Amino acid sequence: MALNGKTAVVTGAALGIGRAITEILVKNGAKVALLDVNEAEAKTLKKALDKQYGQENTLFVKCDVESEEQIKAALQTTADTFGGIDIVCNNAGILNEGEWEKTVSINLLGVIRVTYLVLKHMNKLSGGRGGVVVNTASMAGLGPFLTCPAYSATKHGVVGFTRSMALASIVSDYGIRFNAVCPGFVQTDLMDNIPNNLGQFSHLADIEKEMVEKMGTIHPSVVAECVLELVTDERKNGDHLLVKSNQKSYVTFPEVL
Ligand SMILES: NC(=O)C1=CN([C@@H]2O[C@H](COP(=O)(O)OP(=O)(O)OC[C@H]3O[C@@H](n4cnc5c(N)ncnc54)[C@H](O)[C@@H]3O)[C@@H](O)[C@H]2O)C=CC1
Ligand SMILES: CCCCCC(=O)CC\C=C/C=C/C=C/[C@@H](O)[C@@H](O)CCCC(=O)O
């Protein structure tokens, strides 16, 4: 998929991985709607992108992925502004074991909310152009993550949802591909804030540090390059790209039937 003329929606676009995804998509010719709750940072990013690529190529819509109404409005504004939606990057997420229900609501339910609401805009059966959805899961969605059990559960849910939507889309002939990127530790605010967000598992903070030291960290731009691969390679559907500090690999899942 060439990105020229394509429209992308990125949730959690203002900072970290979402900012890197936004930048690489705009750089490669897409028009991008930045959805985030952090208005100040999103507007700072848009201002920088306007200067480099022109203000007509991005749109900021304040949107909390916990709110169906805000998601509906943001998707409609995007479609009205750019003429349709071809790409969705469900990236918004938090890690807070002390507020685990909010973590579930944003990381898992937010991905489901946006996906289900964007189908009417993208689904070829309802006049859409088809396209691709790339969800930001995590390495913590592929195995146990003892310091953050609820967070890990949300990411396992994103993996299962992505794999299921990929198959549902094929059978339903939606014309939409569904993939996920599964990063290890990435140098963002989310990582920086970990010590304060382990909740009842704060006694495991040292184990967390050991894991980071052992596995190393990744720059957000490396994750964004993997997302670009999942967006542009039209052979990819139901694929999960695992990104560690020194390598990337496609995950193979056990056959269960
Ligand atoms: N940093 C890491 O080590 C890893 C992060 N991830 C995932 O990557 C995604 C992005 O995380 P980071 O860039 O690290 O975090 P970050 O904290 O740097 O950026 C997250 C962005 O999402 C926005 N956001 C938070 N709640 C929101 C909501 N309810 N609605 C809309 N926007 C919201 C924030 O304002 C922020 O701009 C998350 O889903 C996270 O779980 C996955 C693997 C590793
Ligand atoms: C504390 C910072 C968390 C940042 C948020 C993340 O999502 C980072 C996740 C980073 C590491 C997760 C490691 C999980 C390791 C085990 O589950 C392992 O079994 C995963 C196996 C994946 C594989 O190699 O196939």
Side-chain angles (χ1 to χ4, degrees):
M1 172 193 273
L3 296 189
N4 289 318
K6 296 292 194 286
T7 296
V9 171
V10 180
T11 69
L15 290 170
I17 294 168
R19 176 179 181 134
I21 292 171
T22 299
E23 290 170 340
I24 203 168
L25 291 176
V26 175
K27 180 181 177 182
N28 282 271
K31 296 192 184 298
V32 182
L34 289 66
L35 275 49
D36 206 301
V37 290
N38 190 326
E39 192 163 357
E41 291 290 353
K43 286 183 174 177
T44 298
L45 174 57
K46 176 165 170 52
K47 189 174 180 181
L49 292 170
D50 289 355
K51 187 174 179 181
Q52 189 166 8
Y53 300 103
Q55 64 183 7
E56 72 281 0
N57 290 308
T58 58
L59 165 74
F60 167 63
V61 184
K62 187 171 183 178
C63 177
D64 183 340
V65 298
E66 291 195 88
S67 164
E68 274 216 6
E69 287 318 303
Q70 291 184 32
I71 295 167
K72 282 180 185 174
L75 295 177
Q76 193 59 56
T77 300
T78 302
D80 293 345
T81 304
F82 293 133
I85 298 173
D86 306 286
I87 302 161
V88 173
C89 295
N90 283 310
N91 169 78
I94 66 170
L95 189 160
N96 192 327
E97 291 295 319
E99 294 188 57
W100 63 270
E101 288 171 316
K102 186 175 184 64
T103 301
V104 171
S105 178
I106 293 169
N107 295 13
L108 177 56
L109 303 189
V111 170
I112 297 171
R113 285 189 199 101
V114 173
T115 299
Y116 282 179
L117 289 170
V118 82
L119 283 180
K120 77 164 193 173
H121 294 283
M122 297 178 70
N123 180 355
K124 284 186 173 177
L125 303 181
S126 58
R129 306 186 292 228
V132 59
V133 174
V134 180
N135 298 322
T136 305
S138 165
M139 186 186 282
L142 301 172
F145 196 40
L146 66 97
T147 56
C148 312
Y151 174 86
S152 180
T154 69
K155 295 305 183 178
H156 277 75
V158 170
V159 168
F161 180 70
T162 305
R163 297 179 68 199
S164 302
M165 283 303 302
L167 295 177
S169 183
I170 292 169
V171 174
S172 307
D173 201 18
Y174 288 159
I176 306 170
R177 298 180 287 116
F178 292 83
N179 298 307
V181 65
C182 300
F185 296 107
V186 187
Q187 301 151 5
T188 69
D189 288 1
L190 182 146
M191 259 209 74
D192 294 341
N193 296 329
I194 283 306
N196 306 319
N197 290 336
L198 293 182
Q200 64 181 301
F201 301 101
S202 58
H203 61 286
L204 301 177
D206 287 345
I207 293 176
E208 186 60 62
K209 285 179 185 172
E210 289 165 16
M211 287 174 72
V212 174
E213 286 164 10
K214 179 182 176 184
M215 294 178 66
T217 59
I218 309 162
H219 191 273
S221 60
V222 173
V223 181
E225 287 163 9
C226 292
V227 171
L228 183 67
E229 182 173 316
L230 291 166
V231 165
T232 55
D233 186 340
E234 297 189 63
R235 297 168 300 174
K236 302 302 181 192
N237 184 37
D239 286 283
H240 288 63
L241 188 47
L242 173 62
V243 198
K244 299 179 180 179
S245 59
N246 55 358
Q247 66 184 39
K248 65 178 183 178
S249 57
Y250 282 94
V251 180
T252 54
F253 295 95
E255 291 297 323
V256 290
L257 298 177

